[in-house]
Amino acid sequence: IAVDGFSGATPLGLLAATVESGQSAVGALAEYGNTYSLSNLFMGFHPGSIGETSILMILLGAVILIATGVGSWRIILSGFVGAYAMAGLMYLIGANPYFAMDPLYHLLIGGLAFGVVFMATDPVTASQTNTGKWIYGTLIGVLTIIIRVLNPAYPEGIMLAILFMNVFAPLIDYYVVGANKKRR
């Protein structure tokens, strides 16, 4: 008889558990065989919430949002760059097994890609100035990794980072516009 669904730990849940045991993050994922290889994570051949597992499909959605003018490529690119840079910094610090996770894994697991592409680019709540979009997206990526790594009880972080930055988006725009006026 075929199984219609499966319930189990997601990759971020597994990684959060490794902090308690002292095992390396990538080592914990390696225990599950090829399920959590980088290619399977990119294609979406692993358990997780619907819509956040296939990075390939999320990137296709990003292309559609950018082509239609709904999503800002500045927010998307800076969100990924900010997350990768902060994950790289955490990797260099390596204070615990969750810190020492390869930065690519941070980009491919969890809802980071989904949140950056489909939620952070909301034209109503995001920053409106071009410079503000770079700042807004970068800080979303940075905050997501900080929340993930420093609070293993909350292994995702993207939604909280987006909510924080939605609160600060008008302030970012205010200072960007003020700086532009001063420069002129």
Side-chain angles (χ1 to χ4, degrees):
I1 186 165
V3 176
D4 290 333
F6 172 76
S7 177
T10 62
L12 282 173
L14 293 171
L15 292 173
T18 64
V19 174
E20 300 299 323
S21 69
Q23 182 181 11
S24 79
V26 177
L29 291 178
E31 285 182 7
Y32 290 88
N34 198 30
T35 304
Y36 298 117
S37 68
L38 288 174
S39 62
N40 280 351
L41 290 170
F42 181 77
M43 296 301 291
F45 302 139
H46 63 90
S49 297
I50 291 178
E52 74 175 22
T53 57
S54 177
I55 305 303
L56 177 64
M57 292 296 114
I58 291 170
L59 292 176
L60 179 64
V63 169
I64 292 169
L65 287 177
I66 292 167
T68 58
V70 175
S72 169
W73 66 270
R74 290 172 180 87
I75 294 172
I76 294 170
L77 180 62
S78 63
F80 284 122
V81 168
Y84 188 81
M86 182 52 76
L89 178 64
M90 296 292 185
Y91 180 76
L92 291 175
I93 294 171
N96 67 35
Y98 210 30
F99 271 64
M101 185 167 68
D102 185 338
L104 276 177
Y105 277 96
H106 275 291
L107 296 181
L108 297 177
I109 60 177
L112 178 93
F114 186 84
V116 166
V117 170
F118 296 109
M119 295 176 186
T121 59
D122 176 36
V124 176
T125 59
S127 187
Q128 302 300 311
T129 61
N130 285 338
T131 303
K133 289 177 182 181
W134 287 108
I135 296 167
Y136 173 82
T138 302
L139 288 175
I140 285 175
V142 166
L143 284 173
T144 299
I145 302 303
I146 289 172
I147 294 167
R148 274 186 184 181
V149 171
L150 296 181
N151 186 4
Y154 189 57
E156 187 49 71
I158 184 69
M159 291 311 302
L160 185 57
I162 291 171
L163 286 173
F164 278 149
M165 292 315 301
N166 283 345
V167 169
F168 288 105
L171 187 64
I172 292 169
D173 285 337
Y174 174 80
Y175 282 109
V176 167
V177 169
N180 287 340
K181 285 181 185 177
K182 195 181 257 187
R183 190 171 24 120
R184 287 184 195 158

